[in-house]
Amino acid sequence: MMTPDNSSSTMTAMLSEAREAPQVVARLLDSNAALCRDLGERLRASPPPFAVTCARGSSDNAATFVKYLLEIHSGLVTASVGPSVTSVYEARPRMRDALFLAVSQSGRSPDILNLAQAGRDDGALTVALVNDTSSPLASTCEVVLPLHAGPEKSVAATKSFIAALAAGFQLVAHWSQDKELLAALDTLPEVLAKAADIDWSEALPELSQANNLFVVGRGVGFAVAQEAALKLKETSGVHAEAMSAAELMHGPWTLAGDHFPILVISQRDETLSGVNDLVTKLREQDVPVVVAGAAEGPATVMLPSVDNVHPYLAPIAMIQSFYPLVNAIALARGRNPDNPPRLRKVTETV
């Protein structure tokens, strides 16, 4: 069977960059530890009443992951504010004393900069998770947590997305001083290295032939469902939609069927029972289901994952395993994942 690594005679930049993620994360955790300890101490001394995230594209998917961590683990209400609120509508939402998290690879999109400046002007603690530390966003925000991903040549972000997830996890772990999270954080580079070697090519025949599909996740896993759906759209020309396992049952699952499969991404936490029930119901309706992670049931394809990892780390590991698969899907559909039609590496929106 075709494997993601051997699906082309040449290694794509996307696949090469994705495989750099374990080293990127190891560098990030070491370099940013002191920054996160200091920021955590500051946040404990003056707890914010709420948090705001600001991002676009893959970075917004990473912000979703941080939102779930903050709300589930820290109990902090976290809102994703649309940058157009300030850049287009010229409104000024009240963000005094909030924690404002801007996530970006380039740090150059005008709408992101506009909202970040509005947050700082109103008295929010502005923090940038950004790959380009010489960018305007890094200058605009009070605190900068570099992603340390290095240059990315492929239009599709991979290692910088994983780095953003790791940076958010590191911030929450140091802020909470949770020993279990800190211990899990130390294992992340090794977990990613294992995940990079896991073969998901069994899903290639089912997913490469689909023009429409759902990518389902829940809780902390929903962000990587969003990211997987985005990558399927931009690299492979597949109309993929991220869907909460709960929301799917409120109507959208009527679309699924023989030519509309579902990819389920699941972690071993409080959401697992509901996800297992969903897989069973889908198969009872003869819907093709590809399951990655902890979920069980009569799936069409069961994909392996790294065992015995913290449930907050599991989604990060699974997106690491997913990137070679989506690279292979793009190539199988005759597309170049490094240069998708009409896309550029740096997208600047107003």
Side-chain angles (χ1 to χ4, degrees):
M1 178 178 291
M2 183 185 297
T3 64
D5 285 351
N6 298 324
S7 56
S8 173
S9 59
T10 58
M11 176 81 72
T12 66
M14 175 184 170
L15 184 55
S16 177
E17 288 165 357
R19 289 196 166 277
E20 294 174 22
Q23 292 75 35
V24 166
V25 169
R27 182 166 62 243
L28 179 151
L29 296 181
D30 181 63
S31 300
N32 289 3
L35 288 170
C36 285
R37 283 195 294 267
D38 290 346
L39 180 56
E41 183 178 355
R42 180 174 176 180
L43 291 167
R44 288 192 302 275
S46 183
F50 62 95
V52 170
T53 67
C54 170
R56 295 282 192 197
S58 285
S59 295
D60 198 31
N61 299 335
T64 297
F65 179 72
V66 181
K67 167 185 168 69
Y68 272 97
L69 292 185
L70 290 173
E71 292 185 337
I72 294 170
H73 185 73
S74 305
L76 188 70
V77 171
T78 304
S80 172
V81 175
S84 62
V85 166
T86 56
S87 64
V88 175
Y89 291 99
E90 298 183 353
R92 286 295 180 267
R94 292 184 290 275
M95 295 182 276
R96 180 168 300 279
D97 299 325
L99 171 63
F100 181 98
L101 295 172
V103 187
S104 176
Q105 300 161 48
S106 70
R108 298 182 185 281
S109 188
D111 52 352
I112 302 292
L113 296 171
N114 196 304
L115 185 57
Q117 187 63 60
R120 187 162 188 178
D121 289 346
D122 197 48
L125 171 54
T126 51
V127 179
L129 280 62
V130 63
N131 197 35
D132 185 352
T133 55
S134 66
S135 65
L137 181 63
S139 301
T140 299
C141 292
E142 183 178 351
V143 179
V144 177
L145 298 179
L147 298 183
H148 297 284
E152 273 187 321
K153 296 181 180 179
S154 177
V155 168
T158 54
K159 59 180 179 176
S160 63
F161 174 76
I162 291 176
L165 299 182
F169 190 108
Q170 187 179 33
L171 170 58
V172 173
H174 282 286
W175 180 4
S176 65
Q177 294 184 310
D178 185 301
K179 292 181 180 179
E180 185 178 353
L181 288 191
L182 291 168
L185 189 66
D186 289 339
T187 70
L188 182 52
E190 180 182 359
V191 167
L192 290 174
K194 291 179 180 177
D197 289 334
I198 288 178
D199 182 5
W200 279 12
S201 62
E202 188 178 355
L204 184 57
E206 186 72 56
L207 300 184
S208 63
Q209 296 176 36
N211 290 319
N212 303 279
L213 61 87
F214 286 129
V215 185
V216 173
R218 195 167 186 192
V220 294
F222 183 58
V224 298
Q226 291 179 310
E227 171 66 4
L230 175 60
K231 287 296 181 287
L232 285 162
K233 284 193 280 273
E234 66 183 358
T235 69
S236 305
V238 177
H239 178 219
E241 183 178 357
M243 186 70 60
S244 160
E247 291 294 339
L248 187 72
M249 303 301 293
H250 285 268
W253 78 320
T254 191
L255 293 172
D258 287 344
H259 302 292
F260 200 126
I262 295 180
L263 171 60
V264 176
I265 296 175
S266 57
Q267 66 281 348
R268 194 171 300 281
D269 66 3
E270 291 84 348
T271 66
L272 184 55
S273 175
V275 173
N276 283 337
D277 289 344
L278 173 65
V279 171
T280 299
K281 290 175 182 178
L282 289 169
R283 290 304 296 139
E284 287 173 350
Q285 299 296 319
D286 295 322
V287 175
V289 182
V290 176
V291 171
E296 301 171 350
T300 311
V301 178
M302 295 290 294
L303 298 177
S305 59
V306 182
D307 294 328
N308 301 317
V309 298
H310 193 285
Y312 293 177
L313 293 191
I316 312 178
M318 283 186 281
I319 202 66
Q320 176 79 73
S321 298
F322 171 81
Y323 284 143
L325 172 61
V326 77
N327 181 79
I329 291 171
L331 295 173
R333 292 170 66 88
R335 295 170 68 98
N336 179 357
D338 292 335
N339 291 293
R342 296 181 292 280
L343 297 183
R344 297 186 304 167
K345 183 61 184 173
V346 178
T347 303
E348 297 184 359
T349 48
V350 176

